[in-house]
Amino acid sequence: MVVSQTPTELKNAAAPSTAADSSLSAEGYAKALSGRQVTMIAMGGAIGVGLFMGAGGRLASTGPALIFSYAIAGVIAYLLMRALGELIMYRQTSGSFVSYAGEMFGKKGAYLSGWMYFINWAMTGIAELIAIGLYFQFFFPNVPVEMSAIAALLLLVGVNLLSVKAFGEFEFWASCLKVGAIVIFLAVGTFMVITNAQVGDGNASVANLFAAEGGMFPKGALVMILVLNAVIFAYNGIELVGITAGEMQDPAKEVPKAIRAVVLRIVVFYVGSVTLLAMLLPSDQYVAGTSPFVTVFGQMGLAWMGDVMNMIVITAALSSCNSGLYSIGRIFRTMANNGHAPEWLTRMSKNHVPYAAILAIGAVYLVGIMLNIWLGGSHAFDLALNSASIGVIFTWGAIFASQIALRTKKGKVSALPAPGGVWSSWVGLASLLVITILIGFDTMTSKSGEVFHLGLWTLATIPLFSLLLWLGWRKVRNNEPKSALFS
């Protein structure tokens, strides 16, 4: 049975050297993340290839209705972050939702949430490393995709092994670049729409939203709901602030600031960018596999801006994968201390970095890159991202459920209560259930016109994941937690 402990009891349970050092968290991590780093990590964590690369194909298959898809997903993301904020202010831990699920629902809750989060980032990280390799070929066409991907992996593993401060600085500057690029695009794009500037054979205009037959819904209104699983994935990483809370210098100050401000900014970035993209060009001029920003600048005759955007796409993928290494490193260590992963994953370096867990997820990424050589399927990237969305949905569901349990089982409301209390989380859970059901209807159309039933293949991974998780649980269910700190 998982024992609930207060933050004070958790600190007293820590090793004497850890408890005596105020610069370390109860779990032994360095409290080195500053306010500026936390703010940019929270914003940049959810801005990755889902927007810079994935929005183009979705605009082509969905039409301008994709704007509503991002808006709906943004509302769910907002509810999620408010639920997570309530949990974080209740107790700060680098185990984040795994620790909360363990406290609220017992060992099985911690086990499932931990391994589903691993599935999420295992698939996401592999896909993004492959994306880095593909985009690197834009500049160096003779360099194999796998070589570039492996070089990127070695760089990111090195950054994460140095210290949490090194991770924070990398993310800060990468996020500054991503956010800066979006802000500039929003400003320039808005100006072009207002001035009715020429883009390709047409002009930037609000009228482009209704240019196709069917107006904003050329593929039907239902399509904007069917693509929500892919759009939800675009917001993947927004929950990273929960994991960084255990290594913040001042979580009581930084968490509320990040929760309240960051979600709204991200929604503006996503919804605003997709709206402008749909105004600058008719949606049928975007294609899957090409950044929509590159498409726009190419139509404007600004090839050099397309080069810049390709570099930003690479940076976005690097940043997102970097976040994956960081978060899974902490979650893996929590799982190992819970007895749900090999004990050697608990090892820490002298810089208070869970080096064994980071190397382990790095090895998984390396295997994934090697498998890409063997598979080589045209839909491997999309299938990996959609499979990751299953993990995202489960992780978000665990956060909503934990907030409900905090109120109903514990009878506690933290210093940052979610608006609507448990009802907002129930709405979030219901939304995620509907999205899961609708995944089966999701399709992708290739450049050759081939229709690929992506959703059915994605749903087919659920029985596989369930079998693996069941077998794993039978093996570890009797293991006792190594430390009450991670229970």
Side-chain angles (χ1 to χ4, degrees):
M1 179 177 179
V2 176
V3 180
S4 173
Q5 293 182 300
T6 66
T8 301
E9 291 170 333
L10 286 169
K11 289 179 181 177
N12 292 338
S17 60
T18 300
D21 190 346
S22 61
S23 67
L24 299 180
S25 69
E27 296 100 328
Y29 296 110
K31 295 181 179 180
L33 294 177
S34 64
R36 67 178 176 85
Q37 291 173 332
V38 170
T39 299
M40 294 308 295
I41 288 170
M43 273 201 292
I47 301 175
V49 294
L51 174 62
F52 284 109
M53 184 175 177
R58 291 298 171 181
L59 270 171
S61 63
T62 308
L66 187 67
I67 298 167
F68 300 107
S69 303
Y70 274 96
I72 294 169
V75 171
I76 300 173
Y78 174 75
L79 296 178
L80 173 93
M81 289 300 285
R82 293 308 302 263
L84 181 59
E86 185 168 336
L87 290 164
I88 295 171
M89 296 308 289
Y90 162 68
R91 176 162 66 88
Q92 293 92 50
T93 168
S94 291
S96 191
F97 45 86
V98 173
S99 294
Y100 303 137
E103 181 175 345
M104 306 301 168
F105 304 107
K107 292 166 64 175
K108 187 176 289 186
Y111 169 83
L112 289 174
S113 60
W115 280 108
M116 286 304 291
Y117 194 65
F118 165 78
I119 289 172
N120 165 17
W121 275 109
M123 294 293 184
T124 301
I126 292 168
E128 287 176 337
L129 286 167
I130 292 170
I132 290 169
L134 290 170
Y135 270 80
F136 199 73
Q137 281 193 322
F138 180 85
F139 301 101
F140 301 97
N142 295 324
V143 176
V145 171
E146 290 73 24
M147 184 178 293
S148 302
I150 292 172
L153 175 61
L154 292 175
L155 169 65
L156 297 178
V157 169
V159 168
N160 275 270
L161 290 178
L162 282 176
S163 66
V164 68
K165 188 174 182 180
F167 159 79
E169 278 300 297
F170 185 98
E171 276 303 290
F172 174 79
W173 292 109
S175 296
C176 282
L177 181 61
K178 291 188 290 184
V179 171
I182 291 176
V183 169
I184 293 172
F185 174 76
L186 291 175
V188 173
T190 300
F191 175 78
M192 292 175 67
V193 171
I194 292 173
T195 59
N196 201 31
Q198 184 173 355
V199 182
D201 296 329
N203 296 85
S205 170
V206 176
N208 284 329
L209 295 174
F210 312 95
E213 184 178 350
M216 293 193 72
F217 306 94
K219 310 293 184 178
L222 183 60
V223 178
M224 73 176 184
I225 303 299
L226 298 182
V227 300
L228 273 175
N229 70 298
V231 174
I232 283 287
F233 172 79
Y235 287 93
N236 184 28
I238 200 171
E239 74 286 338
L240 187 64
V241 66
I243 299 172
T244 61
E247 295 174 86
M248 293 179 187
Q249 293 174 353
D250 189 359
K253 176 183 177 182
E254 299 304 331
V255 169
K257 184 194 300 183
I259 295 295
R260 288 180 177 135
V262 169
V263 181
L264 294 177
R265 293 174 187 170
I266 288 175
V267 172
V268 168
F269 289 160
Y270 271 103
V271 176
S273 295
V274 174
T275 300
L276 279 174
L277 287 168
M279 289 181 180
L280 292 170
L281 282 173
S283 59
D284 60 4
Q285 294 192 32
Y286 296 101
V287 295
T290 300
S291 170
F293 301 95
V294 174
T295 300
V296 168
F297 290 120
Q299 291 278 6
M300 292 170 61
L302 299 175
W304 65 272
M305 279 299 297
D307 294 348
V308 172
M309 289 308 303
N310 272 315
M311 283 300 300
I312 292 173
V313 171
I314 291 173
T315 303
L318 280 169
S319 171
S320 183
C321 193
N322 188 44
S323 297
L325 279 167
Y326 168 85
S327 58
I328 285 296
R330 273 65 184 171
I331 294 298
F332 248 180
R333 182 168 179 254
T334 298
M335 291 164 62
N337 275 288
N338 283 340
H340 298 158
E343 187 177 345
W344 56 268
L345 291 172
T346 62
R347 296 173 185 171
M348 294 271 278
S349 71
K350 62 180 181 180
N351 292 328
H352 310 287
V353 170
Y355 73 91
I358 291 171
L359 289 174
I361 187 62
V364 171
Y365 286 170
L366 180 60
V367 170
I369 294 170
M370 293 296 100
L371 281 175
N372 182 64
I373 301 175
W374 177 58
L375 293 174
S378 59
H379 299 291
F381 178 83
D382 295 312
L383 184 58
L385 293 190
N386 259 37
S387 299
S389 70
I390 299 294
V392 177
I393 289 171
F394 190 96
T395 296
W396 287 21
I399 293 171
F400 282 130
S402 294
Q403 187 268 344
I404 294 171
L406 179 66
R407 294 278 191 114
T408 57
K409 290 185 177 182
K410 299 284 185 179
K412 295 183 179 181
V413 180
S414 76
L416 189 64
V422 297
W423 289 107
S424 62
S425 287
W426 278 116
V427 170
L429 283 173
S431 301
L432 295 177
L433 177 61
V434 171
I435 292 170
T436 303
I437 294 172
L438 292 175
I439 283 176
F441 299 93
D442 189 20
T443 60
M444 287 286 287
T445 303
S446 66
K447 295 179 181 179
S448 63
E450 174 197 5
V451 176
F452 179 63
H453 295 282
L454 188 61
L456 292 177
W457 281 98
T458 303
L459 289 180
T461 64
I462 295 179
L464 174 62
F465 292 154
S466 299
L467 175 61
L468 293 174
L469 289 169
W470 178 74
L471 292 173
W473 175 245
R474 287 180 60 86
K475 181 175 178 62
V476 305
R477 60 185 174 182
N478 295 322
N479 293 351
E480 292 298 322
K482 181 180 178 183
S483 169
L485 288 170
F486 298 87
S487 302

